[in-house]
Amino acid sequence: QINVLQAKKKFEILDAMLSFMHAQYTFFQQGYSLLHELEPYMKKLATELDQLVIDSAVEKREMEHKHALIQQRVRSECFSFFQDFSYDDSKVEFNVDAPNGVVMEGYLFKRASNAFKTWNRRWFSIQNSQLVYQKKLKDVLTVVVEDLRLCTVKPCEDIERRFCFEVVSPTKSCMLQADSEKLRQAWIQAVQASIASAYRESPDSYYIE
C-alpha cells in the first residue's frame, strides 16, 4: 500500500508540473498576442523617436552656431568699442593754427586740490593761450591756466596713476591724467606748441612788463 501511495504521488507531481507548464504557455501566449497587437504602434513610435533624435541634433547644431555668432559679435563689438574709446591718430593731433582757436581738446582726469586729492573726468581744451575745462560740453568754461606763456609742462612718473602730466604756473600747478601714453605725449606737445606760438605772436616787451 505504501508503494502504491508513493507511485500515485509521482503521478500527482507530474500532473502538477504539466499544469504549471500549460499555465506558463498560456501566459506567454497571451503576452505575445498583446505585444503583437501593439507592434504597429511600437514601430510608429520608434519612427517618431528617430525623427525626434534627428530634430534634436539639428536644433543643437543651430544653437551652437547661434552661440558662436553671438560670441563673435560680442567680441567684435567690444573690440570696436575699445577702438572707439582709445583715440585714433586723427584725434590725438593738435593744431596751433586751428580756425576756431582750439589747439586740442578731449577728456582728461584732473586731480582736485582738496585734501582728498580726488580725480574727476573733465572735457579739456587749449584755446586762446589758456587751458580750460568743462564738466559737460555745454557748461561754462573753467580756466585752469590763464596764460600758458607763463607755464611749463612735464610728465609725471612718480605718482600712483599712469599717463599723468603736470602743468605748472607761477601760482599753482594742475595734475592731469590722459587715457594713454600717446595722448599724454600729444597733450604735452600741444601745451608746448601753444606756449611757443603765443611767444611768436606777442612782443617781448609785453612779457617783460
Side-chain angles (χ1 to χ4, degrees):
Q1 291 178 353
I2 292 174
N3 290 334
V4 171
L5 289 175
Q6 290 178 348
K8 287 183 178 179
K9 287 183 180 179
K10 291 179 181 179
F11 293 128
E12 291 174 356
I13 293 173
L14 183 61
D15 182 62
M17 287 296 297
L18 186 61
S19 299
F20 176 75
M21 295 299 295
H22 278 292
Q24 289 289 318
Y25 171 80
T26 303
F27 173 77
F28 286 108
Q29 184 70 28
Q30 291 177 348
Y32 171 78
S33 299
L34 179 62
L35 292 176
H36 183 69
E37 293 176 359
L38 293 175
E39 184 178 6
Y41 173 74
M42 294 171 62
K43 289 182 177 180
K44 179 183 177 182
L45 187 61
T47 304
E48 293 178 354
L49 181 61
D50 292 339
Q51 187 62 40
L52 286 175
V53 171
I54 295 173
D55 294 342
S56 177
V58 172
E59 185 177 358
K60 181 180 179 181
R61 284 197 300 269
E62 290 178 352
M63 291 296 294
E64 290 176 349
H65 180 64
K66 289 180 180 178
H67 183 67
L69 289 177
I70 291 173
Q71 284 187 328
Q72 183 178 1
R73 184 179 299 175
V74 169
R75 287 194 296 267
S76 176
E77 289 178 355
C78 289
F79 179 74
S80 176
F81 169 78
F82 285 112
Q83 272 192 328
D84 294 339
F85 186 77
S86 60
Y87 298 82
D88 56 16
D89 293 338
S90 63
K91 293 181 181 179
V92 300
E93 292 179 353
F94 59 90
N95 184 10
V96 293
D97 299 322
N100 60 356
V102 179
V103 177
M104 185 173 179
E105 60 183 353
Y107 279 108
L108 293 172
F109 283 95
K110 178 182 179 295
R111 190 176 70 177
S113 57
N114 55 27
F116 298 102
K117 303 296 184 182
T118 56
W119 292 84
N120 301 301
R121 190 172 175 84
R122 299 289 183 260
W123 181 265
F124 276 82
S125 62
I126 301 173
Q127 51 182 296
N128 302 323
S129 299
Q130 292 181 331
L131 180 63
V132 298
Y133 73 86
Q134 300 165 277
K135 291 184 179 180
K136 298 179 181 178
L137 291 179
K138 296 182 180 180
D139 288 351
V140 179
L141 292 175
T142 300
V143 178
V144 180
V145 177
E146 295 182 357
D147 195 344
L148 287 174
R149 292 167 290 191
L150 304 177
C151 297
T152 58
V153 59
K154 61 180 180 179
C156 296
E157 306 297 345
D158 53 344
I159 193 171
E160 71 276 5
R161 292 196 172 201
R162 299 185 302 167
F163 317 132
C164 292
F165 63 99
E166 187 177 19
V167 179
V168 183
S169 69
T171 57
K172 61 181 178 180
S173 64
C174 180
M175 184 67 67
L176 302 172
Q177 182 193 19
D179 291 332
S180 65
E181 178 61 27
K182 181 186 289 186
L183 272 174
R184 177 171 73 167
Q185 293 299 326
W187 276 100
I188 292 175
Q189 294 172 9
V191 173
Q192 292 172 343
S194 298
I195 295 172
S197 176
Y199 272 115
R200 288 195 301 269
E201 294 174 359
S202 302
D204 293 339
S205 59
Y206 172 81
Y207 307 107
I208 296 174
E209 183 180 355

